[in-house]
Amino acid sequence: MAIEGKDTVQTRPIRLGMVGGGKDAFIGAVHRIAARIDGAYDLVAGALSSTPEKALESGRALGLKEDRIYGSFEEMAKREARLKDGIEAVAIVTPNHMHYPAAKEFLKRGIHVICDKPLTSTLADAKKFVKAAESSDALFFLTHNYTGYPMVRQAREMVASGDLGTIRVVQVEYPQDWLTVEQHNKQADWRTDPARTGLGGSTGDIGTHAYNLACFITGQSAESLAADLQSFVPGRQVDDNGHVMLRYASGARGMLWCSQVAPGNENNLKIRIYGDKAGLEWHQEDPNYLHYTPFGKPKQLLTRGGAGMLDSIASATRVPPGHPEGYLEGFANLYKDAADAIRAHQSGKDASSLVPGITDGLAGVRFVDACVRSSAKNAAWVKLDG
Amino acid sequence: MAIEGKDTVQTRPIRLGMVGGGKDAFIGAVHRIAARIDGAYDLVAGALSSTPEKALESGRALGLKEDRIYGSFEEMAKREARLKDGIEAVAIVTPNHMHYPAAKEFLKRGIHVICDKPLTSTLADAKKFVKAAESSDALFFLTHNYTGYPMVRQAREMVASGDLGTIRVVQVEYPQDWLTVEQHNKQADWRTDPARTGLGGSTGDIGTHAYNLACFITGQSAESLAADLQSFVPGRQVDDNGHVMLRYASGARGMLWCSQVAPGNENNLKIRIYGDKAGLEWHQEDPNYLHYTPFGKPKQLLTRGGAGMLDSIASATRVPPGHPEGYLEGFANLYKDAADAIRAHQSGKDASSLVPGITDGLAGVRFVDACVRSSAKNAAWVKLDG
Amino acid sequence: MAIEGKDTVQTRPIRLGMVGGGKDAFIGAVHRIAARIDGAYDLVAGALSSTPEKALESGRALGLKEDRIYGSFEEMAKREARLKDGIEAVAIVTPNHMHYPAAKEFLKRGIHVICDKPLTSTLADAKKFVKAAESSDALFFLTHNYTGYPMVRQAREMVASGDLGTIRVVQVEYPQDWLTVEQHNKQADWRTDPARTGLGGSTGDIGTHAYNLACFITGQSAESLAADLQSFVPGRQVDDNGHVMLRYASGARGMLWCSQVAPGNENNLKIRIYGDKAGLEWHQEDPNYLHYTPFGKPKQLLTRGGAGMLDSIASATRVPPGHPEGYLEGFANLYKDAADAIRAHQSGKDASSLVPGITDGLAGVRFVDACVRSSAKNAAWVKLDG
Amino acid sequence: MAIEGKDTVQTRPIRLGMVGGGKDAFIGAVHRIAARIDGAYDLVAGALSSTPEKALESGRALGLKEDRIYGSFEEMAKREARLKDGIEAVAIVTPNHMHYPAAKEFLKRGIHVICDKPLTSTLADAKKFVKAAESSDALFFLTHNYTGYPMVRQAREMVASGDLGTIRVVQVEYPQDWLTVEQHNKQADWRTDPARTGLGGSTGDIGTHAYNLACFITGQSAESLAADLQSFVPGRQVDDNGHVMLRYASGARGMLWCSQVAPGNENNLKIRIYGDKAGLEWHQEDPNYLHYTPFGKPKQLLTRGGAGMLDSIASATRVPPGHPEGYLEGFANLYKDAADAIRAHQSGKDASSLVPGITDGLAGVRFVDACVRSSAKNAAWVKLDG
């Protein structure tokens, strides 16, 4: 509870490039702030848009040097790989269908990849992606950013250490409301276009986050599921609401709900996990709290940095308890951990980290694929690796 | 927002009998308090236990006259029906399997019945019950007591008046934790014995409440469901956790979760309903609030008695806003409405009310039956009236 | 955490009379429900209004026999004292200035008095009241009803048992909003008329509740205070907002805020108490929770009936954890405890109880008097017994 | 509600120096992160500690060039002022008593100053500080960082636009618990030493934040106050708890509570403001919400980025609604606004901003001074400018 602050110091920041994330993009800006918070990266190159003028304009606005602003990711990968001070890592923040094509260009040249989720828009691409990542010496990080929240990591450790006993029930949900009515803007357009977002709509965009969070905290994965997907808004080509029942390999059972048509929900990701000894509950919109309910004892409210927070979590938080951290700090934890891993890799040390990787990415695409297959069979039960 | 109190006055209370509810019973005591709150009933007779000594002891403890303490409900029904000042209504608060045998004795003698839920422990009994109720001139009330909460009634009216638009998604859940480990006491014993509670465990005990609440507020009923039921505690013969996906006749979709093994949950019944115009959220443990979220407008917190409460709800509340009402007051609303309906019936007037009745009771048993059938088929989709 | 219900059984209810509480009254109706909940009283007589026709009409509406409906409390006291089955106790629910004149008539005839708060509208009356109560053999109860909430009683016990260590800081507040603008109705009229309510407005009506709650839980009383009282609404003759700093005899310091002009506050009584070992927080609008924060340990949320509730509190609650109790149940606890005390007194046993009495009543009037004196001296510090 | 992200782009970041903030410092790290988030500053020089070795070690750890690591702020001010690419602004993050001596060296050389609060440890210094700032062409910013939270700025605008009507009551509090027991560490030591922190303890450290927040939102300042200050922990030389009543020039009345001995409170700054039309409530620990309660209408929960947020606030937020922002983002808003003001100043444009300045700093010291004077007179009322 002492009040002390921390900022990670880096005598030489990692040279970072970015694919996607031009003007008007949402997630590119988030990645850039996340990379900046701990001073561990320098953004030095970009192929920020598939439209040349926009790529140029966006690169200049970000202060990139003219010769490091590229019109395509292929060009950027080729040239940067040859530069003496070329990028060491690249952030890929395009629509889903471009993740794999872009990433493979960097992976094959030994440039580390930090990629937005979901891994790909198709299962076929995901399988190829796994091969590309496995055959590269470079590291691969997938920004399932909610895993960066300190109290999420605390939850994971508490489950791992047996505080909950045997896990029985996993309830996770991610409702939003922004697609309650028909929307036409950059963000809505690609997210509701099967060609760019993939067959899953809400399942791919936010359902994968929810599923990843459940797997991250419990250390388990689902064996089968039954998914009842809907497209409530007339004319919408992908699901905007998904109800899913899950059976985990361990015998635990779960529900998952994702929705983009639930008025009053902004980014209302919540997870509740129940074992035979205790329960845990965490809300993304109030992320500094973790509700811990040991059976037969008083309910506890654990706070980030407060009494009850595990020592191992301390490095994932920057300010004292009661001074809230949010989405960007959680996201920054992934960038910070990736930077540590990249430094370790460069020094020939163990480069493992808590940041989700290619396996988690494949699991996420399998989840979406299974949801879509189940739904096509009238919500019958299907295997995830079917 | 004026501060004023109300107590319903009754120049002559209704003479009430009770079946079940002897010493150590939970729900019998609740029914008696609910009946007393508005002074609308006098408890004058009882067959409070199937064990004669306990029936006698319990009757005396409640101040009943010796000749109105009965050893069996048959005896009570027969004699009270002949008395000049015999009971006008009877409360049936036995374990589930005895609801029908007891109720039919009173219904056929024209004595109004206020019966605890679920209607019966089997679907066969439920169908017979419907016939018995329909062929009687007496009124039948089923105490799905959560429908008595003022803000639940407000939610129902808001849905009916179109405030939410077309209903798309219905999320309801009722987790508890008291059966997380093996339990042996009066309450646990009959609730985990299929012979007395029925084939459904948590589904029958609390899942029916959740399903009834969803139907009550939305005015809809489910057409089909898929239920994944578990008995997590070794040796337990009925489900202690149920995951259910529902398809409503209107096209709305829903999830229902009931659990008795979720540590940290006491009686954590919650419902969230989303239409194309707005959402509503209500929590039984904080029942004086209703969260109303019109799409694209600020979130509203409606309070019992406060600004935004509909005038039509005023009669269901007894104290000013900010002075919380709870479980007993909600329960008492059912007794008060039943008393009004009985008085109306006695005067030859319209005896309709908001209190759930025989049709709702059958729907509840169909829900449990469908859950059990689905679960037996590996959680396949089944029709509720299949 | 077992689910069991309780209703106190009384083979012979106590015969109760009522002074005040006629048609349109708020608190009279509350007292009647509170008296009914546990079946421990029979309302058999009343002087319900100072207007004869209204007294008669109100008495009939409550089902009183014609000869027990009185036009004045003097008449009622005299006649009931002579009746063989006359009232054993009387509830006094008039405006403040009539509490003493009414109560003394019953006290001197040995009829137990249950009186609404504050004790009187003047300190002079309060001192006479103390004498009248002390010279009577009858019991006197003052309905500072918030002391009846189970979690308030738990807080008191936790402080007494040293869970908080030495008390340092006591923050209590009771904001409302109903007098934000000028109001004219029965409730507002007498509460803003110095002749009927006393010199204190919000201080007398709700400030006394807040002060009583602080004293009840901490077991302490204030030695001096500085009060800055305001009448924000033009033309209002009594305070509608009060800011008070308090010094307790023990060395603890406190603040008290009462207001009737704070939009958004219904009956938002809250108390927070901090010792050198732990803190406690309780909110009247969510009364089933008690926040317990031992220094250097995780925050705990104690729930009525849940893990952490003291065994000694069990008799003050009627339904299982998670089934909320509210204002009426808390109020009913005072009536139940008073009934137990009256029965004990009638049997020559110890009649002490947790219900506030004449000493608490005097303390409350001294608090209001000190606030008004301080405010008249430009909010200077004054002694409470000055 | 569209999802879009923003990161301010700066083609050339402002060159920043820092005084204080060496290893183990809390607030220095916070300032550095805040400066980095939007990429608007480059930290290029520092006099990070008064201990030469620590200054050097800290400067290296932050990647500063050797010749820009200084042993004293005087040296840094002199040399940087002469450099062609010398610092344009300096952040001063020392203990309170060094703010003025350090700042004046930069101000007189035209280097903009971003200074931590409170302005000074004595009123005499504060008055000299005002002169130094007013006679300099450079800009002065005081990091009362809570004013950077978007919903705080929204509150200010709502008050200014009349949404609350005439302000009547201002309740503000800032309790912590970290000094509940005696503490010895870097942070505690200087904060409890009158020579470094000033005469006020909790009043200076956090009470000033609370007072500043009240003034910032309401646009008002206090005329007089009565303060009852305590040092509960034996041996402590400055106050660790303060109870204050305030009278604002407009006629509004307020309370302020600051405490460092309230177990369970981390940084629990809260403010509630009531006018004759509506109320507002904001909690620092849950800063993305603003509770708005128009009298006689449903309560509203406004969310950062959500429906109801004013357009003018949009530039103070970086991620979509439901993705929480926290302490660092609020702090970063001050740095961003200061950067914009510095750029404007350099271009000869209007350099006004929402960031608190020298006048606010003086007001804060006057507040502490008045608290200490009042307390010394047994908590009598004193004028703030007395």
Side-chain angles (χ1 to χ4, degrees):
Chain A
M1 213 163 9
I3 60 168
E4 25 179 296
K6 280 154 287 179
D7 62 340
T8 304
V9 290
Q10 294 287 346
T11 48
R12 195 183 58 72
I14 292 168
R15 295 181 300 275
L16 180 70
M18 181 168 274
V19 179
K23 227 183 120 199
D24 300 334
F26 153 57
I27 204 68
V30 166
H31 278 252
R32 288 191 295 267
I33 298 176
R36 266 199 307 261
I37 280 181
D38 297 305
Y41 296 86
D42 257 356
L43 181 67
V44 296
L48 301 159
S49 172
S50 50
T51 314
E53 305 79 49
K54 197 165 155 193
L56 190 60
E57 184 190 359
S58 301
R60 283 172 176 165
L62 287 168
L64 298 184
K65 291 184 185 163
E66 295 281 321
D67 65 342
R68 310 281 294 262
I69 303 177
Y70 299 92
S72 76
F73 57 77
E74 294 90 342
E75 188 193 342
M76 177 161 111
K78 280 180 201 161
R79 184 159 177 269
E80 290 288 329
R82 289 194 307 258
L83 288 180
K84 199 173 172 181
D85 62 346
I87 57 172
E88 301 164 86
V90 67
I92 297 178
V93 296
T94 62
N96 306 341
H97 69 303
M98 295 307 295
H99 290 173
Y100 169 61
K104 71 176 178 183
E105 296 300 320
F106 295 90
L107 286 172
K108 74 182 180 194
R109 291 176 174 89
I111 294 170
H112 307 293
V113 171
I114 300 169
C115 182
D116 209 74
K117 48 52 58 186
L119 189 65
T120 59
S121 58
T122 68
L123 182 53
D125 267 9
K127 290 176 179 173
K128 286 187 263 177
F129 209 148
V130 172
K131 284 188 189 161
E134 287 177 351
S135 63
S136 168
D137 180 50
L139 300 174
F140 179 81
F141 306 96
L142 191 73
T143 54
H144 270 305
N145 59 290
Y146 302 112
T147 65
Y149 277 113
M151 298 319 275
V152 166
R153 293 182 172 187
Q154 164 116 3
R156 173 191 168 95
E157 284 212 18
M158 290 177 74
V159 171
S161 68
D163 286 351
L164 273 68
T166 302
I167 302 301
R168 290 169 167 172
V169 176
V170 182
Q171 304 292 104
V172 64
E173 60 186 44
Y174 195 154
Q176 298 179 325
D177 67 3
W178 67 297
L179 294 176
T180 293
V181 295
E182 215 180 336
Q183 290 278 352
H184 288 296
N185 58 52
K186 186 184 165 65
Q187 297 304 325
D189 285 352
W190 78 255
R191 280 183 173 77
T192 54
D193 173 7
R196 286 180 283 175
T197 198
L199 292 176
S202 65
T203 44
D205 195 29
I206 51 177
T208 46
H209 271 308
Y211 177 65
N212 174 265
L213 187 67
C215 296
F216 181 80
I217 296 179
T218 62
Q220 302 192 9
S221 60
E223 216 167 46
S224 59
L225 61 74
D228 201 19
L229 310 186
Q230 297 84 37
S231 300
F232 279 116
V233 174
R236 188 159 288 161
Q237 297 180 60
V238 293
D239 62 81
D240 51 24
N241 189 81
H243 285 156
V244 190
M245 297 198 299
L246 296 138
R247 292 175 178 168
Y248 289 84
S250 67
R253 304 295 172 94
M255 292 181 119
L256 183 152
W257 172 45
C258 55
S259 184
Q260 293 169 322
V261 295
N265 291 281
E266 294 173 344
N267 276 285
N268 208 356
L269 173 62
K270 289 186 189 176
I271 188 161
R272 293 172 291 176
I273 300 173
Y274 301 102
D276 59 5
K277 289 189 185 167
L280 279 180
E281 182 167 348
W282 180 80
H283 300 180
Q284 191 274 147
E285 296 193 354
D286 299 294
N288 296 280
Y289 305 107
L290 181 64
H291 302 262
Y292 170 49
T293 48
F295 180 66
K297 294 185 186 158
K299 301 171 203 280
Q300 292 186 15
L301 179 65
L302 307 178
T303 57
R304 186 193 45 77
M309 194 183 75
L310 299 167
D311 290 343
S312 53
I313 308 302
S315 67
T317 172
R318 293 165 186 81
V319 287
H323 279 153
E325 292 188 342
Y327 176 85
L328 289 169
E329 288 84 353
F331 217 114
N333 281 338
L334 266 58
Y335 266 86
K336 182 158 66 83
D337 290 350
D340 290 344
I342 290 170
R343 288 298 180 215
H345 183 268
Q346 290 172 340
S347 314
K349 296 183 191 148
D350 174 24
S352 63
S353 78
L354 279 177
V355 185
I358 193 72
T359 311
D360 305 285
L362 178 61
V365 178
R366 280 200 190 285
F367 165 80
V368 178
D369 176 74
C371 285
V372 172
R373 281 188 289 119
S374 168
S375 193
K377 294 185 194 173
N378 194 26
W381 286 87
V382 300
K383 298 273 178 196
L384 266 81
D385 59 359
Chain B
M1 210 160 11
I3 58 168
E4 26 178 295
K6 280 155 288 181
D7 62 340
T8 304
V9 290
Q10 294 286 347
T11 48
R12 195 182 58 71
I14 292 168
R15 293 180 302 273
L16 181 70
M18 180 168 275
V19 178
K23 229 183 119 199
D24 300 333
F26 153 57
I27 205 68
V30 165
H31 278 251
R32 288 191 295 268
I33 298 176
R36 267 201 305 262
I37 282 181
D38 297 305
Y41 296 85
D42 258 355
L43 181 67
V44 296
L48 301 160
S49 172
S50 50
T51 313
E53 304 77 48
K54 197 164 155 194
L56 190 60
E57 184 189 357
S58 301
R60 283 172 178 165
L62 287 168
L64 299 185
K65 292 185 185 162
E66 295 280 321
D67 65 341
R68 311 279 295 261
I69 303 176
Y70 299 92
S72 77
F73 57 77
E74 295 90 343
E75 188 194 342
M76 177 160 110
K78 279 180 203 162
R79 184 159 175 269
E80 290 288 328
R82 288 194 308 259
L83 288 179
K84 198 172 171 182
D85 63 345
I87 58 173
E88 300 165 86
V90 67
I92 296 178
V93 296
T94 62
N96 305 342
H97 68 303
M98 295 306 295
H99 289 173
Y100 169 60
K104 70 176 176 184
E105 296 300 319
F106 296 90
L107 287 172
K108 74 182 179 195
R109 291 177 176 89
I111 294 170
H112 308 294
V113 170
I114 300 170
C115 182
D116 209 73
K117 49 49 60 187
L119 189 65
T120 59
S121 57
T122 68
L123 183 53
D125 268 9
K127 289 175 179 173
K128 286 188 262 177
F129 210 147
V130 172
K131 283 188 189 161
E134 287 177 352
S135 63
S136 167
D137 180 50
L139 300 175
F140 179 81
F141 306 96
L142 191 73
T143 54
H144 270 306
N145 58 290
Y146 303 112
T147 63
Y149 276 113
M151 298 319 274
V152 165
R153 293 183 172 187
Q154 164 117 2
R156 173 191 169 96
E157 284 212 17
M158 290 177 74
V159 170
S161 68
D163 287 351
L164 273 68
T166 302
I167 301 302
R168 290 167 167 174
V169 176
V170 181
Q171 305 291 104
V172 64
E173 59 186 45
Y174 195 155
Q176 298 179 327
D177 67 4
W178 68 295
L179 294 176
T180 293
V181 296
E182 215 179 337
Q183 291 278 353
H184 288 296
N185 58 51
K186 185 185 167 66
Q187 297 304 325
D189 285 352
W190 78 255
R191 279 183 173 77
T192 54
D193 173 7
R196 285 179 284 174
T197 198
L199 292 176
S202 65
T203 44
D205 196 28
I206 52 177
T208 45
H209 270 311
Y211 178 65
N212 173 264
L213 187 67
C215 297
F216 181 79
I217 296 179
T218 63
Q220 301 191 10
S221 59
E223 214 167 48
S224 59
L225 61 75
D228 202 18
L229 309 187
Q230 297 83 37
S231 300
F232 280 116
V233 174
R236 188 160 288 161
Q237 298 180 60
V238 293
D239 62 80
D240 51 24
N241 189 83
H243 285 156
V244 190
M245 297 198 299
L246 296 139
R247 292 175 178 168
Y248 289 84
S250 68
R253 303 295 171 96
M255 292 181 120
L256 183 151
W257 172 44
C258 54
S259 185
Q260 293 169 323
V261 296
N265 290 281
E266 295 174 344
N267 276 286
N268 209 356
L269 173 63
K270 289 185 189 177
I271 189 161
R272 293 171 292 176
I273 300 172
Y274 301 102
D276 59 5
K277 289 189 184 166
L280 279 181
E281 182 168 348
W282 180 81
H283 300 180
Q284 190 274 147
E285 296 193 354
D286 299 294
N288 295 280
Y289 305 108
L290 180 64
H291 302 262
Y292 170 50
T293 49
F295 180 66
K297 294 187 185 155
K299 301 171 202 279
Q300 293 186 13
L301 178 65
L302 307 178
T303 56
R304 184 192 48 76
M309 194 183 75
L310 299 167
D311 290 342
S312 53
I313 308 302
S315 66
T317 172
R318 292 166 188 79
V319 288
H323 278 152
E325 291 188 341
Y327 176 84
L328 290 169
E329 288 84 354
F331 217 115
N333 282 338
L334 266 58
Y335 266 87
K336 181 158 67 84
D337 290 351
D340 289 345
I342 289 170
R343 290 297 179 216
H345 182 270
Q346 291 173 339
S347 313
K349 295 183 191 149
D350 174 24
S352 63
S353 79
L354 279 176
V355 185
I358 193 73
T359 310
D360 307 285
L362 178 62
V365 178
R366 280 199 191 286
F367 166 80
V368 178
D369 176 74
C371 285
V372 172
R373 281 187 290 121
S374 168
S375 193
K377 294 185 195 173
N378 194 25
W381 286 87
V382 299
K383 297 274 180 195
L384 266 81
D385 60 358
Chain C
M1 214 162 7
I3 59 168
E4 26 179 295
K6 279 154 289 182
D7 61 340
T8 305
V9 289
Q10 294 286 347
T11 48
R12 195 182 60 70
I14 291 168
R15 294 180 301 275
L16 181 70
M18 180 168 275
V19 178
K23 230 183 118 199
D24 300 334
F26 153 57
I27 205 67
V30 165
H31 277 252
R32 287 191 296 266
I33 298 176
R36 267 200 305 262
I37 280 182
D38 297 304
Y41 297 86
D42 257 356
L43 180 68
V44 296
L48 301 160
S49 171
S50 50
T51 314
E53 303 78 49
K54 199 165 155 192
L56 189 61
E57 184 189 358
S58 300
R60 282 172 177 164
L62 287 168
L64 299 184
K65 290 184 185 162
E66 296 280 321
D67 64 343
R68 311 280 295 261
I69 303 176
Y70 299 92
S72 76
F73 57 77
E74 294 90 344
E75 188 195 341
M76 177 161 111
K78 279 180 204 164
R79 183 159 177 268
E80 290 288 329
R82 289 193 307 258
L83 288 180
K84 198 173 174 182
D85 64 345
I87 57 172
E88 300 165 86
V90 67
I92 297 177
V93 294
T94 62
N96 306 341
H97 68 305
M98 296 306 295
H99 290 173
Y100 169 60
K104 71 176 177 184
E105 297 300 320
F106 295 90
L107 287 172
K108 74 181 179 195
R109 291 177 175 88
I111 295 170
H112 307 294
V113 170
I114 300 169
C115 181
D116 210 72
K117 47 53 59 187
L119 188 65
T120 58
S121 57
T122 68
L123 182 53
D125 267 8
K127 290 176 179 174
K128 286 187 262 175
F129 209 147
V130 172
K131 283 188 189 161
E134 287 177 352
S135 63
S136 168
D137 180 51
L139 301 175
F140 179 80
F141 306 96
L142 190 73
T143 54
H144 269 306
N145 58 290
Y146 302 113
T147 64
Y149 276 113
M151 298 319 275
V152 166
R153 293 184 171 186
Q154 164 117 4
R156 173 190 168 97
E157 284 212 17
M158 290 177 73
V159 170
S161 68
D163 287 350
L164 273 68
T166 302
I167 301 302
R168 290 168 167 173
V169 176
V170 181
Q171 304 291 104
V172 64
E173 59 186 45
Y174 195 155
Q176 298 179 325
D177 67 3
W178 69 295
L179 294 176
T180 293
V181 294
E182 214 179 337
Q183 291 278 351
H184 288 295
N185 58 51
K186 185 184 167 66
Q187 296 304 325
D189 285 352
W190 77 256
R191 280 182 172 78
T192 54
D193 173 7
R196 284 179 284 175
T197 199
L199 291 176
S202 65
T203 43
D205 195 28
I206 52 177
T208 45
H209 271 309
Y211 178 64
N212 173 265
L213 188 66
C215 297
F216 181 80
I217 296 180
T218 62
Q220 301 190 9
S221 59
E223 215 166 47
S224 58
L225 61 75
D228 202 18
L229 310 187
Q230 297 84 36
S231 300
F232 280 115
V233 174
R236 188 160 288 161
Q237 298 181 60
V238 292
D239 63 80
D240 50 25
N241 189 82
H243 285 156
V244 189
M245 297 199 298
L246 296 139
R247 292 176 178 168
Y248 289 84
S250 68
R253 303 295 172 95
M255 291 181 121
L256 183 151
W257 172 45
C258 54
S259 184
Q260 292 169 323
V261 295
N265 291 281
E266 294 174 344
N267 276 287
N268 208 357
L269 173 62
K270 289 186 188 175
I271 188 161
R272 293 172 292 176
I273 300 173
Y274 301 102
D276 59 5
K277 290 189 184 165
L280 279 180
E281 181 168 349
W282 180 80
H283 300 180
Q284 191 273 147
E285 296 193 354
D286 299 295
N288 296 279
Y289 306 107
L290 181 63
H291 302 262
Y292 170 50
T293 49
F295 180 66
K297 294 187 185 155
K299 301 171 203 278
Q300 292 185 14
L301 179 64
L302 307 178
T303 57
R304 185 192 47 77
M309 194 183 76
L310 299 167
D311 290 343
S312 54
I313 308 302
S315 66
T317 171
R318 292 165 188 80
V319 288
H323 277 153
E325 291 188 342
Y327 176 84
L328 290 169
E329 287 84 354
F331 217 115
N333 282 337
L334 266 58
Y335 266 86
K336 182 158 67 83
D337 290 350
D340 290 344
I342 290 170
R343 288 298 180 216
H345 183 270
Q346 291 173 339
S347 313
K349 296 184 191 148
D350 173 25
S352 65
S353 78
L354 279 176
V355 185
I358 193 73
T359 311
D360 306 285
L362 177 62
V365 178
R366 280 198 189 286
F367 166 80
V368 178
D369 176 73
C371 286
V372 173
R373 280 188 290 122
S374 168
S375 194
K377 295 185 195 174
N378 194 27
W381 286 87
V382 299
K383 298 274 180 196
L384 266 81
D385 60 358
Chain D
M1 212 159 9
I3 59 169
E4 26 179 296
K6 279 154 289 183
D7 62 340
T8 305
V9 291
Q10 294 285 348
T11 49
R12 196 182 58 71
I14 292 168
R15 295 181 301 275
L16 182 70
M18 181 168 275
V19 179
K23 227 184 119 200
D24 300 333
F26 152 56
I27 204 68
V30 165
H31 278 252
R32 288 191 295 267
I33 298 177
R36 267 200 306 261
I37 281 181
D38 297 305
Y41 296 85
D42 257 356
L43 181 68
V44 296
L48 301 160
S49 172
S50 50
T51 313
E53 304 79 49
K54 197 163 155 194
L56 190 60
E57 183 189 359
S58 300
R60 283 173 178 164
L62 287 168
L64 298 184
K65 292 183 183 161
E66 296 281 320
D67 65 343
R68 312 266 315 248
I69 303 176
Y70 299 91
S72 76
F73 57 78
E74 294 89 344
E75 188 193 344
M76 177 161 112
K78 281 180 201 161
R79 183 159 177 269
E80 289 289 328
R82 289 193 307 258
L83 289 180
K84 198 172 172 183
D85 62 345
I87 58 172
E88 300 163 88
V90 67
I92 297 176
V93 296
T94 62
N96 306 342
H97 68 304
M98 295 306 295
H99 290 174
Y100 169 60
K104 70 175 177 185
E105 296 300 320
F106 296 90
L107 287 172
K108 73 181 178 196
R109 292 176 175 88
I111 295 172
H112 307 293
V113 170
I114 300 169
C115 182
D116 209 73
K117 49 51 60 185
L119 189 65
T120 59
S121 57
T122 67
L123 182 53
D125 268 9
K127 289 175 179 173
K128 287 187 262 176
F129 209 147
V130 172
K131 283 188 189 160
E134 287 176 353
S135 63
S136 167
D137 180 51
L139 300 175
F140 179 80
F141 306 96
L142 190 73
T143 54
H144 270 305
N145 58 291
Y146 302 113
T147 64
Y149 276 113
M151 298 320 274
V152 165
R153 293 184 171 186
Q154 165 116 3
R156 174 190 168 96
E157 284 211 17
M158 290 176 73
V159 171
S161 67
D163 287 350
L164 272 69
T166 302
I167 302 302
R168 291 169 166 172
V169 176
V170 181
Q171 304 292 103
V172 64
E173 59 185 46
Y174 195 155
Q176 298 178 326
D177 67 4
W178 68 296
L179 294 177
T180 293
V181 295
E182 216 179 336
Q183 291 278 352
H184 287 296
N185 59 50
K186 186 184 166 65
Q187 296 305 325
D189 285 352
W190 78 255
R191 280 182 172 77
T192 54
D193 172 7
R196 286 180 283 176
T197 198
L199 292 176
S202 64
T203 43
D205 195 28
I206 51 176
T208 46
H209 271 309
Y211 178 64
N212 174 265
L213 187 67
C215 296
F216 181 80
I217 296 180
T218 62
Q220 302 191 8
S221 59
E223 215 167 46
S224 59
L225 60 75
D228 201 18
L229 309 186
Q230 297 84 36
S231 300
F232 280 116
V233 174
R236 188 159 288 161
Q237 297 180 62
V238 293
D239 61 80
D240 51 23
N241 189 82
H243 284 156
V244 190
M245 297 199 297
L246 296 138
R247 292 175 178 169
Y248 290 84
S250 68
R253 304 294 171 95
M255 291 181 121
L256 183 152
W257 172 46
C258 54
S259 184
Q260 292 169 323
V261 295
N265 290 282
E266 295 174 343
N267 276 287
N268 209 357
L269 173 62
K270 288 185 190 177
I271 188 161
R272 294 172 289 177
I273 300 173
Y274 301 101
D276 59 5
K277 288 189 185 166
L280 279 179
E281 181 167 349
W282 180 81
H283 300 180
Q284 190 272 148
E285 296 194 353
D286 300 293
N288 296 280
Y289 306 106
L290 181 63
H291 302 262
Y292 170 49
T293 48
F295 180 66
K297 293 186 186 157
K299 301 170 202 279
Q300 292 186 15
L301 179 65
L302 306 178
T303 57
R304 185 193 47 77
M309 194 183 75
L310 299 167
D311 289 343
S312 53
I313 308 301
S315 66
T317 171
R318 292 165 186 80
V319 287
H323 278 153
E325 292 188 342
Y327 176 84
L328 290 169
E329 288 84 353
F331 217 114
N333 282 338
L334 265 58
Y335 266 86
K336 182 159 65 83
D337 290 350
D340 289 344
I342 291 170
R343 289 298 180 215
H345 182 269
Q346 290 173 338
S347 313
K349 296 183 191 149
D350 173 26
S352 63
S353 78
L354 279 177
V355 186
I358 193 72
T359 310
D360 306 285
L362 178 61
V365 178
R366 281 199 190 285
F367 166 80
V368 177
D369 176 74
C371 286
V372 171
R373 281 188 289 121
S374 168
S375 194
K377 294 186 195 173
N378 193 26
W381 286 86
V382 299
K383 297 274 179 196
L384 266 81
D385 59 359

